[in-house]
């Protein structure tokens, strides 16, 4: 059974940067998608950025394109989310997720069965 361990997050001012990391421990199939969802108070869990382990194809929510970059270190089974140009609207709990998938395109939270504990990102002045 795979487990996801997250690190990073915190509080920054608008325009600042943060980097999130998520490492898979335990067994997980080779053909998987992994990435980040976020949930703000009173809102549903939305996909932010995902990447396929084999194809390395990244997918981004429109709201973060050009500001966030997802990358994956296969040897370390770790995914990174570099967040630049942070905005107050990015404030949320960020969750790492993984699932066996042929493609990450259009994925929703219910498509994922492995989840991290969540890390808070707060952007305010």
């Amino acid at each position: 059974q795979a487990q996801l361990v997250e690190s990073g997050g915190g509080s920054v001012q608008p325009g600042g940067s943060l980097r999130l990391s998520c490492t898979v421990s335990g067994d997980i199939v080779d053909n998987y998608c992994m990435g980040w969802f976020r949930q703000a108070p009173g809102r549903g869990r939305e996909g932010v950025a995902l990447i396929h382990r084999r194809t390395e194809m990244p997918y981004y929510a429109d709201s973060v394109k050009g500001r966030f970059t997802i990358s994956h270190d296969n040897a370390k089974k770790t995914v990174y989310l570099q967040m630049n140009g942070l905005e107050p609207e990015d404030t949320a709990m960020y969750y790492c997720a993984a699932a066996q998938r042929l493609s990450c395109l259009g994925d929703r939270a219910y498509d994922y069965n492995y989840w991290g504990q969540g890390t808070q990102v707060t952007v305010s002045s």
Side-chain angles (χ1 to χ4, degrees):
Q1 186 79 359
Q3 292 186 326
L4 306 183
V5 180
E6 301 157 342
S7 61
S11 296
V12 295
Q13 294 184 340
S17 298
L18 286 173
R19 188 193 196 206
L20 306 182
S21 300
C22 178
T23 299
V24 179
S25 63
D27 295 329
I28 189 169
V29 295
D30 181 58
N31 195 26
Y32 64 87
C33 286
M34 188 169 173
W36 301 89
F37 290 78
R38 68 185 180 187
Q39 188 166 16
R43 302 188 66 176
R45 194 167 293 190
E46 64 171 351
V48 177
L50 301 166
I51 189 166
H52 197 276
R53 192 269 182 194
R54 283 188 179 177
T55 67
E56 299 290 339
M57 181 71 71
Y59 301 89
Y60 297 98
D62 289 342
S63 58
V64 306
K65 284 180 180 177
R67 300 187 297 121
F68 291 10
T69 302
I70 190 169
S71 60
H72 188 253
D73 185 327
N74 286 339
K76 296 181 179 180
K77 293 196 292 185
T78 298
V79 64
Y80 305 96
L81 184 65
Q82 179 65 43
M83 305 185 291
N84 299 327
L86 283 161
E87 304 169 350
E89 293 74 22
D90 296 315
T91 296
M93 184 71 78
Y94 283 68
Y95 296 91
C96 179
Q100 183 179 6
R101 308 284 293 164
L102 295 178
S103 170
C104 315
L105 181 63
D107 280 3
R108 302 294 183 91
Y110 54 70
D111 293 315
Y112 286 71
N113 53 337
Y114 296 109
W115 292 90
Q117 76 280 4
T119 185
Q120 179 68 37
V121 171
T122 302
V123 186
S124 69
S125 54

